[in-house]
Amino acid sequence: MANDLAVKRIGVLTSGGDAPGMNAAIRAVVKTAACLRIECIGIRHGYTGLLNGHFLPMDEKSVKGIIGRGGTMLYTARSEEFATDEGVERAADVCRRNNIEGLVVIGGDGSFRGARNLHSKGVKVIGIPCTIDNDIACTTYSVGYDTACNTVVEAVDKLNDTMQSHERCSVVEVMGRHAGHLALNVGIATGATVIMIPERNYDFENDVIERIRRARLSGRTNFNVIVAEGIDMPVHEISSRIREATGIETRHTQLGHVQRGGGPQVRDRVVASGMGYMAVRLLAEGESGRIVAMNGDILVHLDIDEALDMTKDLNNEAYNMFKALAFLDKEAFCGAGD
Ligand code: F6P
C-alpha cells in the first residue's frame, strides 16, 4: 500500500464532550500514520483549533505512554464559528492551505455533523465515535462508555454500603444527556430498585413509590434508585417525594463530571485502538465521509450520511430483564407492559 497512498498528510482532532479512550484513539491514528509514512498533524481544541491553526506535528514519540490516560491530549472545545457555512468554508480552506488532505474526527454526533460539512467541501473525513453516553446510533458501542459505566458502578457500590448501614434510600443521577443507556446499564449492574430513563414514561406512584414499598415488603432495608439526567424531574425532587411517600430517609447524589474521567478500561483501549487504525487505513485507501463503528464485536465503517440518519433505541430486552429480576415481575418477563 505504501506506494499508492491516497493521502500523505492528515490531521486528527477531538471534539465535543471528552471520553476515556480518546487518547488511545489519538495514539492509534498517529502510530498507524507513522507506519504508513503518512505525516500526522495534531489539532488542538477541536474545530476551533482547526480554524485558528492550533497545529502540533505528531509522531510516535508524541503519543508515548498515553494509551491508559483519561481525557484528550489534544484538548476539545465547541465552536460557534464552525456551526456556520462560512466557518466550514474557512476550515476547508485552512486544510487546503496546510496540505491537510484528510481529517480524523474523534467525537460524537455533533462532531460528525461538522465533519460531514467539511466532507461536502472536499476535505476527506473519517469519524471515530467517542462518548460516554453511547447514544451514537450507527454503532453498538462508543469509546468511553464502558469506563464511564465502571466509574458509576464503583461510586454506586460505595453509596450502597453507607445506605445499607443507615437503612436509607439512595437516588443517584447519572449522565447520558438525552439517553438512558448509561443509567440502564449501571442500574442492572448495581441491582437497582428503580431505574428512571427518558425513553420510558413512568407513573411516579406506581413505578417508583410502589416498587420501593414492594422491595421493603420483600425484606430490603436499603434502596438504590438510578436516574438518567435526561428525565424531566430533578433528582432532589425525586428524593423528597420518596421520603414523603415512604418515610424512608433518602439521600441524593449527582455524580456529574467524574463520569467523564479516569484511565480507559480495557474495552475502551482496544476499541479505540482498532478504530484509530481503521480510520487511517480508510484515508490511505482514498475513502472519505465514513464513520468507523462497532457492529457487536465487529469493526465496520459506514457512510456518514447514512450514519447520521440512523436512530438508536433503548435495549428493550435488557430493560424487561431488569424489571423481571428486580420485581420478579412475570409480566415484564413476557415483555408485556412498556
Ligand atoms: O455527552 C457527554 C456528556 O457528558 C453528557 O452525558 C452530559 O450531559 C454532557 O456531556 C455535559 O456537557 P458539558 O461537559 O459541556 O457540561
Side-chain angles (χ1 to χ4, degrees), residues 46-68:
Y47 292 121
T48 299
L50 177 60
L51 286 164
N52 295 292
H54 300 173
F55 297 163
L56 166 80
M58 297 183 82
D59 60 17
E60 54 188 313
K61 288 193 292 297
S62 320
V63 293
K64 209 170 165 53
I66 69 165
I67 194 167

Side-chain angles (χ1 to χ4, degrees), residues 17-18 78 131-133 135 175-178 182 229 257 260:
D18 70 326
R78 294 182 167 106
T131 172
I132 68 167
D133 304 342
D135 60 349
M175 283 186 159
R177 202 182 289 274
H178 311 303
L182 185 59
E229 65 176 338
H257 283 68
R260 291 253 290 272

Side-chain angles (χ1 to χ4, degrees), residues 10 33 115 129 143 179 204 213 270 273 285 306 316 336-337:
I10 63 172
V143 172
F204 199 83
R213 285 200 183 107
V270 173
S273 298
E285 290 160 7
E306 182 193 320
N316 209 37

Side-chain angles (χ1 to χ4, degrees), residues 13-18 22 46-47 75-78 105-108 110-111 130:
L13 64 82
T14 49
S15 173
D18 70 326
M22 279 189 162
Y47 292 121
Y75 309 97
T76 180
R78 294 182 167 106
V105 175
I106 301 170
S111 308
C130 266

Side-chain angles (χ1 to χ4, degrees), residues 293-313:
M294 294 301 288
N295 181 0
D297 287 334
I298 311 293
L299 202 52
V300 296
H301 56 92
L302 60 162
D303 173 77
I304 196 165
D305 287 318
E306 182 193 320
L308 289 173
D309 285 345
M310 293 170 83
T311 55
K312 186 176 205 176
D313 298 329

